[in-house]
Amino acid sequence: MSKTQTVRVDRLLANMGYGSRREVQHLVHSGAVTLDGDAIEDADDRIAVTGDLSERMRIDGEPLDPPPGLILMLNKPLGVTCSHKEAGPLVYGLLPPRWRRRDPAISTIGRLDKETSGLLLMTDDGSLLHRIISPRNHVTKRYHVTLDRPLRGDEGDVFASGTLMLDNEDKPLLPVSMEVLSPTSAYVTLTEGRYHQVRRMFAAVGNHVVALHRDRMGALSLPDNLEPGAFRILTKAEIALILPER
Ligand code: URA
């Protein structure tokens, strides 16, 4: 029989960024933390961390943030960096400030360049992160590419060949599929995630990427109604679209 993990209320809330252990103990004693409508009296009560906790628990009348084990998709805008520490705007700055104090921390699942937009997944679940980025699981990533110059015609074959060697690398790229949309735009779908891979692939065939946007991972597409800079938590069904075998 599988046991649901339980955790002390003060530890859960402190780890979710609601304050220090002492601050959340005060919060509980003030009656601000309720479960199924009743105030929790003891901060050292243990509760089960289940997926429905945000619907059952309120803090000052507001639903609890998503409990640990979350995965979200962000429509990454241009000009923000996938890093915890670089200068300038960071993707973490697009999350609510309290979420940036969580332990375990929320991290990006892979990275997009500062000047790449689109579908970026983030999670606090380390094992899920590794399953998605592991080359063994072959999660596909689709990019819409806009080019500086018209395609010359052989790029699809070169990318699909499995023999294209990028500068300063010692292993050829795994095959990449390409769908031409216009003389200067295409979709490319890859399973690897090498540094600046798409830009370097087109540089290798004498072109230059002027805009790059990721719109799909596995069978999960970035929804049209998710504005640049906005994010939302994924449902179980959406997670299954990324890793169908889960
Ligand atoms: N390839 C790139 O060149 N940049 C990205 O951000 C993603 C893939």
Side-chain angles (χ1 to χ4, degrees):
M1 200 169 66
S2 77
K3 270 199 191 158
T4 309
Q5 201 200 349
T6 65
V7 63
R8 282 173 57 126
V9 173
D10 54 358
R11 174 135 191 257
L12 175 73
L13 296 182
N15 285 352
M16 289 177 67
Y18 281 93
S20 66
R21 196 80 166 242
R22 182 172 277 261
E23 284 164 343
V24 300
Q25 283 165 356
H26 283 304
L27 205 61
V28 170
H29 293 146
S30 75
V33 181
T34 60
L35 184 66
D36 299 328
D38 296 324
I40 294 178
E41 281 167 19
D42 285 321
D44 58 4
D45 279 357
R46 296 187 78 90
I47 52 165
V49 184
T50 51
D52 62 356
L53 207 52
S54 300
E55 285 132 53
R56 299 176 53 212
M57 191 178 236
R58 290 185 174 260
I59 315 290
D60 278 331
E62 297 294 324
L64 181 76
D65 292 342
L70 69 87
I71 172 165
L72 61 87
M73 65 169 143
L74 170 79
N75 184 356
K76 179 191 169 299
L78 296 173
V80 298
T81 307
C82 293
S83 161
H84 278 289
K85 39 181 189 270
E86 275 172 49
L90 307 178
V91 288
Y92 300 99
L94 298 167
L95 302 181
R98 182 166 60 230
W99 293 26
R100 288 179 251 149
R101 297 195 294 267
R102 291 170 64 119
D103 178 14
I106 298 174
S107 303
T108 64
I109 301 181
R111 287 176 174 217
L112 291 175
D113 298 338
K114 187 173 180 184
E115 293 313 328
T116 301
S117 56
L119 177 58
L120 181 70
L121 301 177
M122 300 172 87
T123 187
D124 61 359
D125 179 340
S127 98
L128 181 61
L129 186 153
H130 285 109
R131 282 210 304 283
I132 295 175
I133 62 173
S134 166
R136 262 180 289 138
N137 288 324
H138 301 290
V139 173
T140 55
K141 287 154 278 198
R142 188 173 85 162
Y143 295 86
H144 182 273
V145 189
T146 309
L147 297 161
D148 191 27
R149 287 182 282 284
L151 289 159
R152 60 188 194 197
D154 65 340
E155 293 86 345
D157 291 339
V158 173
F159 295 160
S161 68
T163 59
L164 179 63
M165 197 72 102
L166 297 179
D167 279 350
N168 303 319
E169 301 224 354
D170 54 10
K171 265 203 197 134
L173 291 180
L174 290 175
V176 171
S177 70
M178 183 169 102
E179 183 189 339
V180 176
L181 301 171
S182 80
T184 53
S185 66
Y187 282 127
V188 290
T189 302
L190 37 140
T191 52
E192 292 179 288
R194 300 203 201 174
Y195 181 67
H196 290 171
Q197 180 167 339
V198 176
R199 295 174 204 275
R200 291 164 72 211
M201 278 166 37
F202 281 96
V205 292
N207 214 321
H208 176 69
V209 172
V210 290
L212 192 56
H213 178 82
R214 182 159 72 192
D215 72 341
R216 197 178 284 173
M217 288 181 72
L220 176 73
S221 296
L222 186 67
D224 290 339
N225 61 3
L226 193 67
E227 298 295 322
F231 70 88
R232 72 169 170 72
I233 302 290
L234 294 188
T235 62
K236 281 213 169 78
E238 287 171 326
I239 299 169
L241 292 175
I242 311 167
L243 282 168
E245 70 275 23
R246 271 184 103 225

